[in-house]
Amino acid sequence: MDYERYYLDLLEMMNSSFKKIASGKYDKKDVERLFELSKTGRYPHIFAEMAESFSMMVIKVEARDFHLKQLINELEETKLKTT
Amino acid sequence: MDYERYYLDLLEMMNSSFKKIASGKYDKKDVERLFELSKTGRYPHIFAEMAESFSMMVIKVEARDFHLKQLINELEETKLKTT
């Protein structure tokens, strides 16, 4: 097996997913590919860890977006009561 | 120059920054190191791009945290008016 080529392919795949997600132009499949990469045991440790860290950032952003949506709704309802 | 060793060192440095930031236990220096890595021209293209994508996720999280803080303040003030 050509390990150098394999590592480079993994790096490029990861870089491509990172770029799509960071730009905001991504779909479920891009995130799933990242989750798949983060499975330790299947991929070299360092790649799995990097994919896992990035996945955690995706989850952080999504959780905050969810919270923001809730707060905006709550704020609108509260404002309605004051008028 | 031993390129293989250099690439592995860069990967490990990046992985270490990613892990610290994703876990939430990081300081300004960790983010600065990532910004430094994302400078194209100074580091191999693929590393710079990955560091840049991760930096963008850090900024997304920080921007949302800032927005959340503002909304929480606004909500508290609005609620005070209704009581």
Side-chain angles (χ1 to χ4, degrees):
Chain A
M1 189 178 178
D2 182 350
Y3 279 108
E4 203 182 319
R5 186 68 257 163
Y6 172 62
Y7 287 157
L8 279 174
D9 285 346
L10 278 179
L11 263 183
E12 298 208 346
M13 187 175 120
M14 198 151 64
N15 184 33
S16 158
S17 295
F18 281 13
K19 275 202 282 187
K20 280 171 98 176
I21 295 170
S23 73
K25 290 181 204 114
Y26 67 99
D27 53 43
K28 236 179 97 189
K29 245 171 57 188
D30 299 303
V31 180
E32 278 168 0
R33 202 201 285 162
L34 210 59
F35 286 163
E36 167 66 28
L37 254 173
S38 72
K39 286 182 189 157
T40 45
R42 185 167 298 182
Y43 298 101
H45 196 60
I46 200 162
F47 296 102
E49 283 191 350
M50 288 169 81
E52 194 193 2
S53 295
F54 203 93
S55 301
M56 281 167 77
M57 298 303 282
V58 174
I59 292 165
K60 274 176 204 269
V61 171
E62 285 179 354
R64 279 155 179 79
D65 279 345
F66 181 74
H67 195 183
L68 277 168
K69 224 171 155 181
Q70 284 185 316
L71 277 179
I72 288 166
N73 284 341
E74 200 182 336
L75 189 60
E76 279 170 358
E77 280 169 25
T78 312
K79 276 184 175 169
L80 272 178
K81 284 184 202 156
T82 62
T83 52
Chain B
M1 191 178 178
D2 182 351
Y3 279 108
E4 203 182 317
R5 186 67 256 162
Y6 173 60
Y7 287 156
L8 280 174
D9 284 347
L10 278 179
L11 264 183
E12 298 209 346
M13 189 174 120
M14 198 149 64
N15 183 34
S16 157
S17 294
F18 281 12
K19 276 202 282 188
K20 280 170 99 174
I21 294 170
S23 74
K25 291 180 204 113
Y26 67 100
D27 53 43
K28 234 178 98 190
K29 245 172 55 187
D30 299 302
V31 180
E32 279 168 2
R33 201 201 284 164
L34 210 60
F35 287 162
E36 168 66 28
L37 254 172
S38 72
K39 285 181 190 159
T40 44
R42 184 167 300 181
Y43 298 100
H45 196 59
I46 199 162
F47 296 102
E49 284 191 350
M50 288 168 81
E52 194 193 2
S53 295
F54 202 93
S55 301
M56 281 167 77
M57 298 303 283
V58 174
I59 291 165
K60 275 177 204 267
V61 171
E62 285 179 354
R64 280 157 179 77
D65 279 344
F66 181 74
H67 194 183
L68 277 169
K69 222 170 154 180
Q70 284 185 315
L71 277 180
I72 289 166
N73 284 341
E74 201 184 333
L75 188 61
E76 278 170 359
E77 280 170 24
T78 312
K79 277 184 175 169
L80 271 178
K81 283 183 203 155
T82 62
T83 52

